[in-house]
Tab-separated table of all heavy atoms in Angstrom:
chain	number	residue	atom	x	y	z
A	1207	VAL	N	-69.860	14.204	-57.648
A	1207	VAL	CA	-70.796	13.202	-57.179
A	1207	VAL	C	-71.824	13.801	-56.216
A	1207	VAL	O	-71.550	14.789	-55.523
A	1207	VAL	CB	-70.039	12.047	-56.493
A	1207	VAL	CG1	-69.547	12.463	-55.107
A	1207	VAL	CG2	-70.915	10.819	-56.386
A	1208	THR	N	-73.006	13.226	-56.188
A	1208	THR	CA	-74.016	13.591	-55.198
A	1208	THR	C	-74.446	12.335	-54.451
A	1208	THR	O	-74.530	11.252	-55.022
A	1208	THR	CB	-75.257	14.225	-55.858
A	1208	THR	OG1	-75.810	13.296	-56.804
A	1208	THR	CG2	-74.906	15.522	-56.561
A	1209	VAL	N	-74.703	12.500	-53.166
A	1209	VAL	CA	-75.193	11.421	-52.314
A	1209	VAL	C	-76.533	11.859	-51.747
A	1209	VAL	O	-76.604	12.832	-50.990
A	1209	VAL	CB	-74.204	11.105	-51.181
A	1209	VAL	CG1	-74.746	9.976	-50.304
A	1209	VAL	CG2	-72.839	10.736	-51.737
A	1210	GLU	N	-77.585	11.164	-52.163
A	1210	GLU	CA	-78.948	11.531	-51.762
A	1210	GLU	C	-79.228	12.997	-52.104
A	1210	GLU	O	-79.823	13.744	-51.326
A	1210	GLU	CB	-79.149	11.275	-50.269
A	1210	GLU	CG	-79.016	9.801	-49.894
A	1210	GLU	CD	-79.180	9.557	-48.402
A	1210	GLU	OE1	-79.241	10.549	-47.638
A	1210	GLU	OE2	-79.244	8.382	-48.001
A	1211	GLY	N	-78.750	13.393	-53.282
A	1211	GLY	CA	-79.021	14.734	-53.784
A	1211	GLY	C	-78.095	15.812	-53.278
A	1211	GLY	O	-78.195	16.967	-53.700
A	1212	LYS	N	-77.143	15.454	-52.395
A	1212	LYS	CA	-76.248	16.460	-51.820
A	1212	LYS	C	-74.803	16.167	-52.207
A	1212	LYS	O	-74.380	15.007	-52.206
A	1212	LYS	CB	-76.371	16.468	-50.294
A	1212	LYS	CG	-77.753	16.848	-49.779
A	1212	LYS	CD	-77.782	16.814	-48.256
A	1212	LYS	CE	-79.167	17.176	-47.722
A	1212	LYS	NZ	-79.214	17.115	-46.238
A	1213	PRO	N	-74.018	17.215	-52.521
A	1213	PRO	CA	-72.607	16.998	-52.841
A	1213	PRO	C	-71.811	16.678	-51.577
A	1213	PRO	O	-72.243	16.969	-50.457
A	1213	PRO	CB	-72.170	18.339	-53.440
A	1213	PRO	CG	-73.083	19.340	-52.800
A	1213	PRO	CD	-74.405	18.641	-52.624
A	1214	LEU	N	-70.648	16.079	-51.753
A	1214	LEU	CA	-69.752	15.839	-50.624
A	1214	LEU	C	-69.174	17.166	-50.131
A	1214	LEU	O	-68.946	18.088	-50.912
A	1214	LEU	CB	-68.609	14.913	-51.036
A	1214	LEU	CG	-68.968	13.488	-51.455
A	1214	LEU	CD1	-67.705	12.749	-51.912
A	1214	LEU	CD2	-69.643	12.734	-50.331
A	1215	SER	N	-68.922	17.268	-48.833
A	1215	SER	CA	-68.304	18.476	-48.279
A	1215	SER	C	-66.821	18.491	-48.620
A	1215	SER	O	-66.242	17.466	-48.997
A	1215	SER	CB	-68.477	18.506	-46.763
A	1215	SER	OG	-67.688	17.486	-46.161
A	1216	ASN	N	-66.190	19.659	-48.456
A	1216	ASN	CA	-64.744	19.749	-48.695
A	1216	ASN	C	-63.973	18.803	-47.779
A	1216	ASN	O	-62.964	18.212	-48.179
A	1216	ASN	CB	-64.261	21.188	-48.479
A	1216	ASN	CG	-64.477	22.042	-49.717
A	1216	ASN	OD1	-65.124	21.616	-50.674
A	1216	ASN	ND2	-63.954	23.256	-49.702
A	1217	ALA	N	-64.446	18.661	-46.522
A	1217	ALA	CA	-63.767	17.766	-45.575
A	1217	ALA	C	-63.877	16.316	-46.042
A	1217	ALA	O	-62.907	15.546	-45.953
A	1217	ALA	CB	-64.366	17.934	-44.182
A	1218	ASP	N	-65.055	15.926	-46.533
A	1218	ASP	CA	-65.237	14.565	-47.057
A	1218	ASP	C	-64.294	14.306	-48.222
A	1218	ASP	O	-63.662	13.249	-48.311
A	1218	ASP	CB	-66.681	14.368	-47.551
A	1218	ASP	CG	-67.695	14.339	-46.416
A	1218	ASP	OD1	-67.312	13.966	-45.293
A	1218	ASP	OD2	-68.863	14.701	-46.662
A	1219	ILE	N	-64.209	15.272	-49.114
A	1219	ILE	CA	-63.370	15.124	-50.306
A	1219	ILE	C	-61.898	15.063	-49.922
A	1219	ILE	O	-61.138	14.242	-50.433
A	1219	ILE	CB	-63.639	16.273	-51.295
A	1219	ILE	CG1	-65.072	16.167	-51.838
A	1219	ILE	CG2	-62.624	16.266	-52.433
A	1219	ILE	CD1	-65.506	17.364	-52.642
A	1220	ARG	N	-61.506	15.929	-48.977
A	1220	ARG	CA	-60.097	15.980	-48.589
A	1220	ARG	C	-59.631	14.656	-48.013
A	1220	ARG	O	-58.532	14.170	-48.342
A	1220	ARG	CB	-59.862	17.090	-47.566
A	1220	ARG	CG	-58.381	17.255	-47.210
A	1220	ARG	CD	-58.185	18.320	-46.150
A	1220	ARG	NE	-58.685	17.864	-44.858
A	1220	ARG	CZ	-58.941	18.664	-43.823
A	1220	ARG	NH1	-58.777	19.978	-43.957
A	1220	ARG	NH2	-59.372	18.173	-42.687
A	1221	GLU	N	-60.434	14.013	-47.160
A	1221	GLU	CA	-59.971	12.779	-46.545
A	1221	GLU	C	-59.831	11.658	-47.575
A	1221	GLU	O	-58.957	10.802	-47.445
A	1221	GLU	CB	-60.877	12.365	-45.383
A	1221	GLU	CG	-62.307	12.075	-45.714
A	1221	GLU	CD	-63.167	11.885	-44.469
A	1221	GLU	OE1	-62.687	12.210	-43.356
A	1221	GLU	OE2	-64.316	11.423	-44.589
A	1222	GLU	N	-60.648	11.669	-48.634
A	1222	GLU	CA	-60.507	10.650	-49.664
A	1222	GLU	C	-59.319	10.936	-50.576
A	1222	GLU	O	-58.591	10.031	-50.976
A	1222	GLU	CB	-61.800	10.527	-50.484
A	1222	GLU	CG	-63.015	10.080	-49.691
A	1222	GLU	CD	-62.840	8.742	-48.997
A	1222	GLU	OE1	-61.874	8.016	-49.306
A	1222	GLU	OE2	-63.665	8.425	-48.127
A	1223	VAL	N	-59.109	12.205	-50.923
A	1223	VAL	CA	-57.955	12.569	-51.755
A	1223	VAL	C	-56.659	12.283	-51.007
A	1223	VAL	O	-55.710	11.717	-51.570
A	1223	VAL	CB	-58.023	14.055	-52.181
A	1223	VAL	CG1	-56.721	14.477	-52.849
A	1223	VAL	CG2	-59.191	14.282	-53.132
A	1224	ASP	N	-56.604	12.653	-49.726
A	1224	ASP	CA	-55.400	12.383	-48.934
A	1224	ASP	C	-55.149	10.886	-48.800
A	1224	ASP	O	-54.001	10.429	-48.839
A	1224	ASP	CB	-55.525	13.019	-47.547
A	1224	ASP	CG	-55.339	14.534	-47.568
A	1224	ASP	OD1	-54.807	15.049	-48.566
A	1224	ASP	OD2	-55.737	15.202	-46.592
A	1225	THR	N	-56.224	10.108	-48.637
A	1225	THR	CA	-56.087	8.650	-48.558
A	1225	THR	C	-55.523	8.093	-49.856
A	1225	THR	O	-54.616	7.252	-49.856
A	1225	THR	CB	-57.454	7.995	-48.263
A	1225	THR	OG1	-57.902	8.412	-46.967
A	1225	THR	CG2	-57.356	6.472	-48.300
A	1226	PHE	N	-56.057	8.570	-50.977
A	1226	PHE	CA	-55.589	8.135	-52.286
A	1226	PHE	C	-54.116	8.487	-52.471
A	1226	PHE	O	-53.327	7.690	-52.995
A	1226	PHE	CB	-56.441	8.801	-53.365
A	1226	PHE	CG	-56.382	8.133	-54.710
A	1226	PHE	CD1	-56.675	6.796	-54.850
A	1226	PHE	CD2	-56.043	8.851	-55.839
A	1226	PHE	CE1	-56.632	6.179	-56.103
A	1226	PHE	CE2	-55.991	8.252	-57.086
A	1226	PHE	CZ	-56.281	6.905	-57.211
A	1227	MET	N	-53.723	9.681	-52.009
A	1227	MET	CA	-52.329	10.110	-52.110
A	1227	MET	C	-51.419	9.182	-51.316
A	1227	MET	O	-50.380	8.720	-51.803
A	1227	MET	CB	-52.186	11.540	-51.574
A	1227	MET	CG	-52.700	12.619	-52.506
A	1227	MET	SD	-51.730	12.714	-54.021
A	1227	MET	CE	-50.096	12.904	-53.340
A	1228	PHE	N	-51.811	8.914	-50.069
A	1228	PHE	CA	-50.977	8.085	-49.193
A	1228	PHE	C	-50.856	6.664	-49.729
A	1228	PHE	O	-49.755	6.120	-49.869
A	1228	PHE	CB	-51.569	8.070	-47.780
A	1228	PHE	CG	-50.923	7.058	-46.865
A	1228	PHE	CD1	-49.645	7.264	-46.373
A	1228	PHE	CD2	-51.590	5.896	-46.492
A	1228	PHE	CE1	-49.039	6.335	-45.539
A	1228	PHE	CE2	-51.002	4.964	-45.662
A	1228	PHE	CZ	-49.724	5.188	-45.183
A	1229	GLU	N	-51.995	6.045	-50.029
A	1229	GLU	CA	-51.990	4.647	-50.469
A	1229	GLU	C	-51.429	4.491	-51.883
A	1229	GLU	O	-50.857	3.447	-52.211
A	1229	GLU	CB	-53.410	4.088	-50.435
A	1229	GLU	CG	-53.943	3.868	-49.031
A	1229	GLU	CD	-55.133	2.942	-49.040
A	1229	GLU	OE1	-56.248	3.424	-49.268
A	1229	GLU	OE2	-54.942	1.733	-48.831
A	1230	GLY	N	-51.608	5.512	-52.710
A	1230	GLY	CA	-51.310	5.362	-54.127
A	1230	GLY	C	-49.879	5.609	-54.526
A	1230	GLY	O	-49.483	5.236	-55.629
A	1231	HIS	N	-49.073	6.222	-53.664
A	1231	HIS	CA	-47.685	6.431	-54.088
A	1231	HIS	C	-46.714	5.548	-53.306
A	1231	HIS	O	-45.753	5.022	-53.871
A	1231	HIS	CB	-47.291	7.915	-53.986
A	1231	HIS	CG	-46.663	8.324	-52.700
A	1231	HIS	ND1	-47.401	8.644	-51.584
A	1231	HIS	CD2	-45.354	8.465	-52.340
A	1231	HIS	CE1	-46.580	8.967	-50.597
A	1231	HIS	NE2	-45.339	8.862	-51.030
A	1232	ASP	N	-46.963	5.336	-52.019
A	1232	ASP	CA	-46.053	4.506	-51.228
A	1232	ASP	C	-46.106	3.043	-51.637
A	1232	ASP	O	-45.071	2.368	-51.722
A	1232	ASP	CB	-46.409	4.634	-49.740
A	1232	ASP	CG	-45.495	5.618	-49.022
A	1232	ASP	OD1	-44.564	6.131	-49.666
A	1232	ASP	OD2	-45.709	5.862	-47.829
A	1233	THR	N	-47.310	2.525	-51.883
A	1233	THR	CA	-47.444	1.112	-52.213
A	1233	THR	C	-46.869	0.792	-53.594
A	1233	THR	O	-46.185	-0.221	-53.768
A	1233	THR	CB	-48.915	0.672	-52.144
A	1233	THR	OG1	-49.708	1.562	-52.940
A	1233	THR	CG2	-49.429	0.692	-50.723
A	1234	THR	N	-47.140	1.651	-54.574
A	1234	THR	CA	-46.584	1.395	-55.914
A	1234	THR	C	-45.068	1.577	-55.920
A	1234	THR	O	-44.354	0.845	-56.622
A	1234	THR	CB	-47.218	2.322	-56.975
A	1234	THR	OG1	-47.126	3.683	-56.551
A	1234	THR	CG2	-48.673	1.970	-57.185
A	1235	THR	N	-44.572	2.543	-55.140
A	1235	THR	CA	-43.115	2.704	-55.011
A	1235	THR	C	-42.491	1.425	-54.488
A	1235	THR	O	-41.466	0.950	-55.004
A	1235	THR	CB	-42.783	3.871	-54.057
A	1235	THR	OG1	-43.227	5.095	-54.627
A	1235	THR	CG2	-41.275	3.947	-53.807
A	1236	SER	N	-43.100	0.838	-53.465
A	1236	SER	CA	-42.594	-0.412	-52.900
A	1236	SER	C	-42.627	-1.532	-53.940
A	1236	SER	O	-41.628	-2.240	-54.141
A	1236	SER	CB	-43.440	-0.794	-51.674
A	1236	SER	OG	-43.030	-2.031	-51.135
A	1237	GLY	N	-43.764	-1.684	-54.620
A	1237	GLY	CA	-43.889	-2.747	-55.615
A	1237	GLY	C	-42.886	-2.626	-56.740
A	1237	GLY	O	-42.253	-3.615	-57.148
A	1238	ILE	N	-42.717	-1.419	-57.270
A	1238	ILE	CA	-41.773	-1.191	-58.365
A	1238	ILE	C	-40.337	-1.413	-57.904
A	1238	ILE	O	-39.542	-2.092	-58.569
A	1238	ILE	CB	-41.937	0.233	-58.931
A	1238	ILE	CG1	-43.290	0.372	-59.640
A	1238	ILE	CG2	-40.794	0.574	-59.893
A	1238	ILE	CD1	-43.680	1.810	-59.921
A	1239	SER	N	-39.995	-0.855	-56.748
A	1239	SER	CA	-38.607	-0.887	-56.277
A	1239	SER	C	-38.133	-2.301	-55.957
A	1239	SER	O	-37.002	-2.684	-56.298
A	1239	SER	CB	-38.453	0.013	-55.044
A	1239	SER	OG	-38.735	1.352	-55.367
A	1240	PHE	N	-38.985	-3.091	-55.325
A	1240	PHE	CA	-38.573	-4.459	-55.008
A	1240	PHE	C	-38.534	-5.339	-56.261
A	1240	PHE	O	-37.774	-6.311	-56.307
A	1240	PHE	CB	-39.480	-5.056	-53.940
A	1240	PHE	CG	-39.176	-4.545	-52.554
A	1240	PHE	CD1	-40.122	-3.818	-51.837
A	1240	PHE	CD2	-37.941	-4.772	-51.975
A	1240	PHE	CE1	-39.835	-3.340	-50.574
A	1240	PHE	CE2	-37.640	-4.299	-50.695
A	1240	PHE	CZ	-38.595	-3.575	-49.993
A	1241	THR	N	-39.315	-4.998	-57.272
A	1241	THR	CA	-39.198	-5.727	-58.544
A	1241	THR	C	-37.880	-5.371	-59.222
A	1241	THR	O	-37.208	-6.241	-59.796
A	1241	THR	CB	-40.383	-5.404	-59.471
A	1241	THR	OG1	-41.608	-5.666	-58.796
A	1241	THR	CG2	-40.327	-6.258	-60.729
A	1242	ILE	N	-37.480	-4.099	-59.156
A	1242	ILE	CA	-36.169	-3.691	-59.671
A	1242	ILE	C	-35.066	-4.467	-58.950
A	1242	ILE	O	-34.104	-4.942	-59.565
A	1242	ILE	CB	-35.969	-2.177	-59.507
A	1242	ILE	CG1	-36.921	-1.415	-60.438
A	1242	ILE	CG2	-34.519	-1.784	-59.771
A	1242	ILE	CD1	-36.944	0.087	-60.193
A	1243	TYR	N	-35.213	-4.600	-57.641
A	1243	TYR	CA	-34.250	-5.365	-56.842
A	1243	TYR	C	-34.128	-6.799	-57.371
A	1243	TYR	O	-33.017	-7.316	-57.560
A	1243	TYR	CB	-34.704	-5.353	-55.382
A	1243	TYR	CG	-34.053	-6.377	-54.495
A	1243	TYR	CD1	-32.796	-6.142	-53.935
A	1243	TYR	CD2	-34.690	-7.576	-54.191
A	1243	TYR	CE1	-32.197	-7.079	-53.104
A	1243	TYR	CE2	-34.109	-8.520	-53.366
A	1243	TYR	CZ	-32.861	-8.268	-52.819
A	1243	TYR	OH	-32.270	-9.201	-51.996
A	1244	GLN	N	-35.268	-7.432	-57.634
A	1244	GLN	CA	-35.247	-8.810	-58.114
A	1244	GLN	C	-34.644	-8.903	-59.519
A	1244	GLN	O	-33.910	-9.858	-59.824
A	1244	GLN	CB	-36.666	-9.391	-58.124
A	1244	GLN	CG	-37.295	-9.547	-56.754
A	1244	GLN	CD	-36.615	-10.619	-55.906
A	1244	GLN	OE1	-35.652	-11.262	-56.318
A	1244	GLN	NE2	-37.118	-10.816	-54.696
A	1245	LEU	N	-34.938	-7.951	-60.369
A	1245	LEU	CA	-34.358	-7.952	-61.714
A	1245	LEU	C	-32.849	-7.767	-61.673
A	1245	LEU	O	-32.122	-8.338	-62.500
A	1245	LEU	CB	-35.005	-6.854	-62.564
A	1245	LEU	CG	-36.489	-7.036	-62.900
A	1245	LEU	CD1	-37.030	-5.798	-63.619
A	1245	LEU	CD2	-36.713	-8.284	-63.749
A	1246	ALA	N	-32.380	-6.974	-60.713
A	1246	ALA	CA	-30.938	-6.729	-60.606
A	1246	ALA	C	-30.184	-7.977	-60.178
A	1246	ALA	O	-29.088	-8.259	-60.688
A	1246	ALA	CB	-30.672	-5.587	-59.632
A	1247	ILE	N	-30.757	-8.753	-59.255
A	1247	ILE	CA	-30.026	-9.925	-58.754
A	1247	ILE	C	-30.373	-11.197	-59.516
A	1247	ILE	O	-29.726	-12.227	-59.318
A	1247	ILE	CB	-30.280	-10.138	-57.239
A	1247	ILE	CG1	-31.755	-10.402	-56.960
A	1247	ILE	CG2	-29.768	-8.951	-56.443
A	1247	ILE	CD1	-32.039	-10.693	-55.489
A	1248	ASN	N	-31.370	-11.131	-60.385
A	1248	ASN	CA	-31.738	-12.281	-61.225
A	1248	ASN	C	-31.640	-11.863	-62.695
A	1248	ASN	O	-32.644	-11.607	-63.355
A	1248	ASN	CB	-33.157	-12.752	-60.888
A	1248	ASN	CG	-33.285	-13.300	-59.486
A	1248	ASN	OD1	-32.924	-14.435	-59.213
A	1248	ASN	ND2	-33.800	-12.482	-58.574
A	1249	GLN	N	-30.414	-11.808	-63.194
A	1249	GLN	CA	-30.174	-11.294	-64.534
A	1249	GLN	C	-30.871	-12.123	-65.622
A	1249	GLN	O	-31.299	-11.576	-66.646
A	1249	GLN	CB	-28.667	-11.227	-64.812
A	1249	GLN	CG	-27.942	-10.145	-64.030
A	1249	GLN	CD	-28.335	-8.738	-64.476
A	1249	GLN	OE1	-28.329	-8.425	-65.665
A	1249	GLN	NE2	-28.697	-7.884	-63.512
A	1250	HIS	N	-31.013	-13.426	-65.408
A	1250	HIS	CA	-31.681	-14.255	-66.415
A	1250	HIS	C	-33.150	-13.880	-66.547
A	1250	HIS	O	-33.721	-13.940	-67.643
A	1250	HIS	CB	-31.536	-15.733	-66.053
A	1250	HIS	CG	-32.223	-16.136	-64.784
A	1250	HIS	ND1	-31.766	-15.765	-63.529
A	1250	HIS	CD2	-33.353	-16.874	-64.578
A	1250	HIS	CE1	-32.570	-16.259	-62.603
A	1250	HIS	NE2	-33.545	-16.925	-63.203
A	1251	VAL	N	-33.760	-13.470	-65.438
A	1251	VAL	CA	-35.152	-13.017	-65.486
A	1251	VAL	C	-35.240	-11.692	-66.228
A	1251	VAL	O	-36.136	-11.477	-67.061
A	1251	VAL	CB	-35.729	-12.881	-64.062
A	1251	VAL	CG1	-37.130	-12.255	-64.098
A	1251	VAL	CG2	-35.775	-14.234	-63.368
A	1252	GLN	N	-34.304	-10.784	-65.938
A	1252	GLN	CA	-34.290	-9.490	-66.620
A	1252	GLN	C	-34.090	-9.676	-68.125
A	1252	GLN	O	-34.741	-8.995	-68.935
A	1252	GLN	CB	-33.199	-8.595	-66.047
A	1252	GLN	CG	-33.217	-7.188	-66.613
A	1252	GLN	CD	-32.138	-6.276	-66.023
A	1252	GLN	OE1	-31.856	-5.218	-66.559
A	1252	GLN	NE2	-31.536	-6.684	-64.922
A	1253	ASP	N	-33.197	-10.604	-68.504
A	1253	ASP	CA	-32.953	-10.860	-69.934
A	1253	ASP	C	-34.217	-11.381	-70.614
A	1253	ASP	O	-34.552	-10.970	-71.740
A	1253	ASP	CB	-31.817	-11.863	-70.111
A	1253	ASP	CG	-30.467	-11.287	-69.712
A	1253	ASP	OD1	-30.353	-10.043	-69.629
A	1253	ASP	OD2	-29.532	-12.085	-69.465
């Protein structure tokens, strides 16, 4: 990407990649895991 004709610096890129890493694995892990929890205790829903 270019912004006003200039590419992003390595520091700019790193903070966005690190943000994506942090937000993108912890939140989905939580969402998936608690849904597994609900499926385990609500067998009729799992069926």
Side-chain angles (χ1 to χ4, degrees):
V1207 75
T1208 58
V1209 180
E1210 297 178 352
K1212 297 179 181 179
L1214 296 177
S1215 69
N1216 277 9
D1218 290 333
I1219 294 171
R1220 184 183 71 196
E1221 62 189 12
E1222 297 302 347
V1223 171
D1224 285 343
T1225 296
F1226 199 55
M1227 284 295 306
F1228 170 73
E1229 289 198 276
H1231 92 277
D1232 261 356
T1233 52
T1234 52
T1235 295
S1236 177
I1238 292 166
S1239 297
F1240 283 117
T1241 305
I1242 292 171
Y1243 164 82
Q1244 294 292 1
L1245 293 174
I1247 62 177
N1248 295 281
Q1249 289 292 310
H1250 65 288
V1251 173
Q1252 186 179 165
D1253 291 342

